[in-house]
Amino acid sequence: MENREWWKESVVYQVYPKSFQDSDGDGIGDIQGIIQRLDYLKELGVDVVWICPIYKSPMDDGGYDIADYYTIDNMFGTNKDFDALLEKAKMLGMKVLMDLVVNHTSDEHAWFQEALRDPESKYRDYYVFSEGIDGQPPNNWRTYFGESAWESVPNEDNMYYLHAFTKKQPDLNWENQEMREEIYQMINYWLDKGLGGFRIDAILNIKKRIEKGFFEPDGEDGLVFIGHWILNQPGIEVWLKEMNDRTFQPHNSMTVAEANVPSERLKEYIGSQGFFSMVFDFSYTDIDVPSTGEWFKFSGWTWELMKKHIFTNQLVTQENGWGALYLENHDQPRSIDKYIPASDINDYSKKMLATLFMLLRGTPFIYQGQELGMTNIQMDSMEEYDDIATHDQYSRAILSGFSPEEALAAMNRRSRDNSRTPMQWNTSKNSGFSQAEKTWMKVNPNYHMINAEAELVKADSVFHYYRQLILLRRDSRYQDTLVYGEFIPMNEQEDGTIIYQRVLDGKKVLVAINYTNQTQSTEILTEFDQYLLGNYDQPYQVGAKLSLRPYESVVLANF
Ligand code: GLC
């Protein structure tokens, strides 16, 4: 068996702090709110909580624009509140992960302010400044969000700074060793407090291959995607190793990097000596996004492709190291709306998705509200959207000929705000999220139907199904098989179902799901004579032909 690690046996819960629980009535979630809800997470059974950025920030990009790495933003509370959170989590046997955003800072960070104030200061080289060409930016790169990646420096002629995301997120220059040292020191500051580790943001962008000039555009805007020059560039491995050696490794931390790594390099990243514990793969969560990243257009994906991506990713990851499993996060719409046709959204299909992803090989990440089966929100106008990327995509949709109605429909389908609406706790005001008159983001009106309180008392709710899946992973009889067991794809050529086995030392678990609204029959697998879990109350008959009802999922064993 491969090495045991605490983070392989964990189940992670992602908290989007602005929308989790407001404790002081300002309409915005906060750390004390998270503390109040830790018991709920304990009941669900998760043992690691990842909290999206809570550092001091002007919130241009939901906190991924950090103005001070050492201070908790007062919108969320104080550093003391955070210490209290760590303490309570520890008492409950849970670990906390923070977000690590070190590809860029906010333009309001003291380093950047100093770099602007004094071009001679050492902080100038902490960022990427460049002269323009004939009054134009140094090149025609487009950011991840849609604009030119160069912003002109105020009060300086022909001078620009680089930003891969919004113009309020200047990119850091990792070539500068002193800057790197400051970053490592900051990481160790948080780890020394007892933090379990980090989710690491946009880390594959830190090495830049700066080239000036005009490159062939790949869009109507005359720009070309910056990723070709800043994604996973040669030499990046030196800094990733340095960072790991100096920070995570000595702390035995859990790290999960937001990083689509090509399979031939995966071992370097997630092998036993890798830079990270695991990485997030995008292939099946971004399955509806065309390769250009223009998510207002629809990729036209199919479940057959989804199955192929899942199987490929599982096999490649298994060969090279450890993986992270997820269906949702703060950058994705709700999974149920993405993967299931509107007319088929119900508890069966929600539980089917849960079964499919929670028992694959890797560490599962549940995004807040996913365990309740929360759904996308319908917005009536663009003013209701907060997310900067949504506004960018809307403009690009209009530019490429969408009518305003079509563009809004695309935002309703894919906006990141779909998952950023307040957590639905109960049927009281603002779904129990906040006492404020107005919350920072609209509450999904379906909270009367979908909320934690209702699901906690209903034995067959989606919440309890997630709980059972976690319990199954923890059950001493099955844990080793479900955590460390080999992943073996089954019935690969068969449409309508996804079937796989997890096998360790001759002990086998079979997971079978039907992703359609029709009954699917598949080969008889008589060796699986134990029924562990399923999403229909009348369970599958052990030993009978494996016939799966619409969106049925079953977990069987042969021990
Ligand atoms: C990551 C985050 C996303 C953010 C971006 C820029 O992709 O998940 O929310 O907008 O990085 O920091």
Side-chain angles (χ1 to χ4, degrees):
M1 199 172 88
E2 61 189 288
N3 289 349
R4 283 186 180 276
E5 301 283 359
W6 67 268
W7 39 262
K8 291 182 180 169
E9 296 174 11
S10 293
V11 177
V12 187
Y13 189 90
Q14 182 188 354
V15 166
Y16 195 71
K18 261 182 115 172
S19 292
F20 195 54
Q21 177 67 62
D22 173 17
S23 74
D24 59 3
D26 64 356
I28 300 171
D30 46 48
I31 295 174
Q32 284 298 336
I34 301 173
I35 294 177
Q36 287 169 16
R37 295 296 186 181
L38 280 184
D39 292 321
Y40 166 83
L41 299 184
K42 183 77 191 169
E43 175 149 14
L44 176 59
V46 300
D47 52 1
V48 177
V49 184
W50 152 31
I51 303 172
C52 282
I54 46 178
Y55 313 90
K56 189 167 188 291
S57 165
M59 290 282 153
D60 191 53
D61 182 24
Y64 284 91
D65 44 324
I66 297 174
D68 179 355
Y69 286 113
Y70 288 93
T71 310
I72 301 293
D73 196 287
N74 56 22
M75 165 191 295
F76 297 119
T78 63
N79 285 44
K80 264 212 169 110
D81 291 328
F82 187 72
D83 291 344
L85 171 68
L86 284 181
E87 203 167 302
K88 168 125 192 235
K90 194 170 170 196
M91 244 169 58
L92 293 172
M94 296 164 107
K95 292 208 156 75
V96 177
L97 307 184
M98 286 175 107
D99 235 288
L100 183 65
V101 190
V102 290
N103 173 66
H104 45 267
T105 68
S106 162
D107 63 341
E108 298 182 26
H109 193 286
W111 297 342
F112 192 70
Q113 286 300 313
E114 197 49 28
L116 288 188
R117 200 189 58 78
D118 176 10
E120 298 303 313
S121 102
K122 69 170 190 180
Y123 294 110
R124 191 75 168 190
D125 193 50
Y126 277 32
Y127 295 89
V128 184
F129 286 86
S130 177
E131 279 184 352
I133 303 173
D134 304 330
Q136 295 293 317
N139 61 36
N140 59 330
W141 290 349
R142 181 195 309 109
T143 69
Y144 280 91
F145 291 159
E147 297 163 322
S148 161
W150 297 95
E151 181 67 12
S152 60
V153 176
N155 310 320
E156 285 180 47
D157 275 348
N158 200 31
M159 185 56 77
Y160 295 81
Y161 67 85
L162 181 74
H163 60 93
F165 295 90
T166 78
K167 59 173 183 273
K168 284 185 67 62
Q169 293 166 297
D171 276 49
L172 285 166
N173 174 21
W174 274 69
E175 308 283 346
N176 184 306
Q177 196 194 339
E178 208 179 336
M179 190 288 293
R180 297 204 305 275
E181 292 298 332
E182 295 214 42
I183 294 288
Y184 303 153
Q185 209 179 332
M186 175 275 287
I187 295 175
N188 285 329
Y189 166 82
W190 290 106
L191 292 177
D192 289 344
K193 271 183 180 292
L195 199 74
F198 289 98
R199 176 269 189 183
I200 308 175
D201 184 73
I203 194 68
L204 291 195
N205 297 308
I206 59 177
K207 180 94 186 172
K208 335 270 179 203
R209 189 160 49 86
I210 306 287
E211 282 184 302
K212 292 172 99 166
F214 185 81
F215 302 98
E216 170 128 31
D218 62 6
E220 287 91 351
D221 54 4
L223 302 175
V224 52
F225 176 50
I226 189 173
H228 307 298
W229 289 267
I230 67 163
L231 255 176
N232 224 2
Q233 296 298 307
I236 189 174
E237 61 281 353
V238 177
W239 301 334
L240 297 180
K241 180 171 185 331
E242 181 181 81
M243 174 163 63
N244 186 35
D245 289 349
R246 298 280 304 281
T247 61
F248 312 134
Q249 215 258 331
H251 286 91
N252 187 23
S253 307
M254 167 176 181
T255 52
V256 50
E258 185 193 30
N260 238 1
V261 182
S263 45
E264 60 281 7
R265 295 194 68 181
L266 212 49
K267 201 167 242 116
E268 255 179 288
Y269 284 72
I270 57 167
S272 54
Q273 303 301 315
F275 311 135
F276 310 111
S277 316
M278 61 193 91
V279 295
F280 286 123
D281 168 75
F282 289 62
S283 63
Y284 50 93
T285 39
D286 275 351
I287 197 165
D288 58 334
V289 179
S291 55
T292 55
E294 295 168 299
W295 55 247
F296 59 88
K297 295 179 185 160
F298 184 56
S299 71
W301 68 278
T302 61
W303 262 95
E304 287 68 47
L305 184 65
M306 169 89 171
K307 171 168 161 176
K308 200 169 144 229
H309 282 322
I310 291 176
F311 282 2
T312 308
N313 174 256
Q314 282 282 298
L315 292 172
V316 170
T317 305
Q318 173 161 280
E319 229 179 88
N320 291 288
W322 195 251
L325 310 168
Y326 73 110
L327 288 178
E328 294 183 17
N329 64 31
H330 64 291
D331 292 331
Q332 296 287 335
R334 291 293 180 177
S335 55
I336 189 71
D337 295 271
K338 185 193 296 173
Y339 297 121
I340 304 296
S343 52
D344 290 350
I345 292 182
N346 53 42
D347 283 5
Y348 291 112
S349 46
K350 289 175 183 178
K351 292 175 186 175
M352 177 278 284
L353 286 178
T355 320
L356 168 64
F357 107 103
M358 286 279 296
L359 301 177
L360 292 167
R361 183 177 171 283
T363 302
F365 285 67
I366 300 169
Y367 179 75
Q368 70 182 42
Q370 180 184 339
E371 78 283 13
L372 304 175
M374 275 177 64
T375 63
N376 280 355
I377 188 165
Q378 185 74 26
M379 299 293 196
D380 301 323
S381 78
M382 281 307 291
E383 280 88 77
E384 292 191 293
Y385 283 111
D386 175 82
D387 172 32
I388 188 149
T390 303
H391 287 276
D392 268 325
Q393 291 274 330
Y394 181 84
S395 319
R396 287 167 72 187
I398 298 289
L399 198 70
S400 68
F402 278 50
S403 71
E405 293 71 34
E406 287 166 344
L408 184 63
M411 300 305 112
N412 272 316
R413 178 177 57 77
R414 234 294 164 179
S415 168
R416 308 197 292 182
D417 282 344
N418 278 308
S419 58
R420 298 178 181 186
T421 62
M423 179 71 176
Q424 294 167 204
W425 293 109
N426 53 46
T427 53
S428 72
K429 180 177 169 183
N430 298 323
S431 70
F433 160 68
S434 169
Q435 289 304 313
E437 273 324 299
K438 200 169 160 25
T439 54
W440 81 278
M441 157 87 51
K442 189 162 122 179
V443 179
N444 195 321
N446 69 12
Y447 73 90
H448 293 284
M449 305 285 296
I450 302 175
N451 64 73
E453 201 172 281
E455 296 205 23
L456 277 163
V457 296
K458 191 167 168 258
D460 64 348
S461 63
V462 177
F463 174 91
H464 282 294
Y465 194 77
Y466 269 92
R467 215 182 119 252
Q468 281 175 295
L469 280 165
I470 296 173
L471 283 175
L472 198 60
R473 286 182 67 100
R474 293 269 150 75
D475 188 317
S476 57
R477 284 168 297 175
Y478 310 114
Q479 184 178 40
D480 282 353
T481 313
L482 288 174
V483 174
Y484 297 103
E486 186 188 351
F487 168 86
I488 303 176
M490 308 280 293
N491 304 35
E492 281 178 81
Q493 301 312 323
E494 190 178 273
D495 288 348
T497 59
I498 296 181
I499 305 177
Y500 60 86
Q501 289 187 42
R502 302 294 310 284
V503 178
L504 187 76
D505 298 335
K507 294 181 174 168
K508 300 178 179 174
V509 172
L510 180 97
V511 180
I513 67 115
N514 173 0
Y515 58 74
T516 74
N517 58 12
Q518 307 289 315
T519 297
Q520 303 285 344
S521 290
T522 185
E523 244 175 82
I524 308 169
L525 295 150
T526 39
E527 59 175 319
F528 291 94
D529 54 3
Q530 267 177 280
Y531 172 87
L532 300 186
L533 191 66
N535 63 348
Y536 271 75
D537 34 330
Q538 214 191 353
Y540 157 81
Q541 293 280 308
V542 174
K545 189 169 186 281
L546 187 54
S547 165
L548 296 167
R549 288 160 282 189
Y551 298 109
E552 181 160 15
S553 50
V554 290
V555 186
L556 308 175
N558 173 8
F559 267 53

